[in-house]
Amino acid sequence: MTTADGAASGGQVRHLPPPPEQGFGVLDELAEAFVGAAGSTRAVPPGGDPALLEAAAGYWERRGLATGPGHLAAAPGAGTFLLAFDALLGGDVLLPRPCPAHWAPQVRLLGRPVFPVPAPADSGGVPDPYALLETVRRLRAEGRDPRLLVLCPADDPTACVPAPELVHETLEAAAGEGLHIVSDETWRDTLHHPDETVFLSPAEMLPERVTVFADLSGAFLPPGWPAAVARFPATAEGAALRARTLDVLTALGARLTTPVAAAAAHALGESPPTTRRLLDSARLHGVVAAAAHRALGGAGVLARSPQSGRHLYADLAPLGGALERRGVGDSQELENVLGGLLGMPAPGGHRFGDDPAALRVRLSTGPLLGATEADRERALAAPDPLLLPSVQDRLDSFTRVFAALAADNGAAGEPAPPASSPAPRG
């Protein structure tokens, strides 16, 4: 019997973990675009204004996905799009396991179950193609109607960028079963090594079956300026889905504010300062993520190698003995205890649709960049940020927490240190 992921919701929707943030101030030119539009009384229409849609068209064209503004839309955040797609496409929704924290709640808000499909152990964001086929066929044998597969090819929470071969195999399986595919590409512009990592958008392989969306808080805008853009297939089905999506946005009153639309259009134009900030930020978070990954490995923690984003995903099962003595038996308890030890959020894997019994967490790199905005700006400009005392201090504290757990892991019978061990300063 195929089961839906209804119980492991990771808490109430309003208590979802915060997204990993950049940690830097707003670029002057983005602030100027925002302020310059703040005095306007013009309302942005549902779906975005011409300037923003033209900028989005240029953004995707530079990435090999040429399309006209008539196949694009904008909304105040990616969640609005995902909710609309779930409602409009109907049927059952399949998600990779783990997946971004807000995906499953969007489906459950519609009163529908979620059907997770495991990602390969060394990857994330895209389900194993054989597991996908097995899940779809079991669902249909049970009288269900799987229609929609949502992917994250630069993944939250795992920070993986799945190999093109895996993306191809999964898309072939999905297309063969008649699924519509939605690709969340929020993190595609945060690759740590963009010259070495091959990112394949599902829309490059199956342009007629794939709808793409991206939340601009991933790379371009601060999270307090909510904006997302979507690209629909240039087909009759894609045009119909866009039209119905605009109906949903209109009915919800889900439109961008005029200043945010102006800033989003400027960001998607990718001026040299915007591009420089994007690349420098991705490089810095990548350097720190690699250092954190080494620290985890040194303590025996299992973690996928981070390739994108501002986070990494760790499995602390090898430290189960030390954690059990601290009262940790599942990912919610791990979140509570480890967050206290580290002095920073450590959302458990259950929030990302993972098995609550597994001791997995997403760890953000932002808190490791320094205590103040000035520290983080210095790290952004540094040739080797790991040499800065502000970064060293935070990484050393991070490393000590896991080293202490590793040292305690085999020491049965010894009292565990309290969960309020010293956190990084600041």
Side-chain angles (χ1 to χ4, degrees):
M1 180 78 173
T2 303
T3 58
D5 183 20
S9 64
Q12 296 162 311
V13 175
R14 64 181 180 275
H15 294 148
L16 291 177
E21 295 189 16
Q22 288 187 359
F24 313 115
V26 178
L27 274 177
D28 288 345
E29 62 179 41
L30 278 183
E32 290 168 3
F34 185 98
V35 172
S40 173
T41 59
R42 176 186 59 87
V44 176
D49 58 17
L52 176 52
L53 298 183
E54 287 285 355
Y59 165 84
W60 267 305
E61 183 164 354
R62 289 188 293 275
R63 286 154 180 78
L65 295 173
T67 189
H71 290 281
L72 300 169
T80 311
F81 277 133
L82 194 55
L83 185 65
F85 300 155
D86 292 339
L88 295 172
L89 291 168
D92 293 316
V93 180
L94 299 107
L95 307 177
R97 184 175 217 170
C99 69
H102 65 280
W103 283 8
Q106 294 284 349
V107 181
R108 284 193 290 268
L109 282 174
L110 299 172
R112 289 156 55 192
V114 172
F115 293 92
V117 186
D122 60 349
S123 188
V126 173
D128 177 88
Y130 300 103
L132 175 64
L133 287 173
E134 181 181 5
T135 301
V136 169
R137 291 167 185 174
R138 285 182 179 177
L139 286 172
R140 289 183 175 145
E142 294 165 10
R144 303 203 65 92
D145 182 21
R147 292 190 195 176
L148 175 61
L149 172 65
V150 188
L151 308 176
C152 196
D155 189 39
D156 174 19
T158 68
C160 290
V161 177
E165 294 80 7
L166 174 61
V167 178
H168 273 280
E169 291 171 5
T170 300
L171 291 177
E172 286 176 351
E177 295 297 328
L179 303 178
H180 186 91
I181 300 152
V182 169
S183 179
D184 180 348
E185 300 184 6
T186 293
W187 299 98
R188 71 166 295 165
D189 295 298
T190 65
L191 302 186
H192 300 164
H193 303 285
D195 294 333
E196 302 172 13
T197 304
V198 179
F199 176 92
L200 176 65
S201 170
E204 295 179 56
M205 179 180 170
L206 292 177
E208 74 283 357
R209 299 191 71 91
V210 177
T211 299
V212 178
F213 72 91
D215 196 306
L216 300 187
S217 67
F220 293 101
L221 296 179
W225 299 0
V229 289
R231 177 188 183 275
F232 298 84
T235 62
E237 180 187 4
L241 178 59
R242 177 181 182 268
R244 289 183 291 155
T245 299
L246 293 179
D247 288 340
V248 171
L249 297 178
T250 301
L252 294 175
R255 62 179 75 196
L256 277 71
T257 65
T258 303
V260 170
H266 183 88
L268 290 173
E270 296 184 288
S271 68
T274 298
T275 301
R276 185 74 265 154
R277 168 61 70 89
L278 187 153
L279 293 173
D280 287 347
S281 174
R283 179 189 69 87
L284 172 59
H285 282 280
V287 167
V288 173
H293 186 260
R294 290 192 294 271
L296 292 170
V301 174
L302 305 173
R304 295 170 171 93
S305 181
Q307 298 170 283
S308 64
R310 303 186 283 268
H311 52 282
L312 61 165
Y313 199 59
D315 187 340
L316 276 68
L319 303 183
L323 292 168
E324 184 178 2
R325 290 195 289 279
R326 289 164 170 79
V328 173
D330 59 28
S331 60
Q332 179 62 68
E333 293 166 346
L334 177 62
E335 173 181 313
N336 297 338
V337 170
L338 189 61
L341 289 170
L342 292 171
M344 65 186 231
H350 61 290
R351 298 187 179 274
F352 308 101
D354 217 338
D355 181 359
L359 300 179
R360 300 186 186 119
V361 292
R362 186 189 69 185
L363 301 168
S364 296
T365 50
L368 304 178
L369 303 184
T372 68
E373 187 175 309
D375 286 339
R376 296 188 288 273
E377 291 288 348
R378 279 192 291 272
L380 191 65
D384 187 351
L386 300 184
L387 298 179
L388 294 176
S390 57
V391 178
Q392 284 182 340
D393 178 65
R394 298 231 150 190
L395 278 171
D396 286 348
S397 295
F398 180 91
T399 302
R400 283 195 297 271
V401 167
F402 291 100
L405 288 171
D408 183 52
N409 194 46
E414 296 182 10
S420 56
S421 297
R425 291 193 295 273

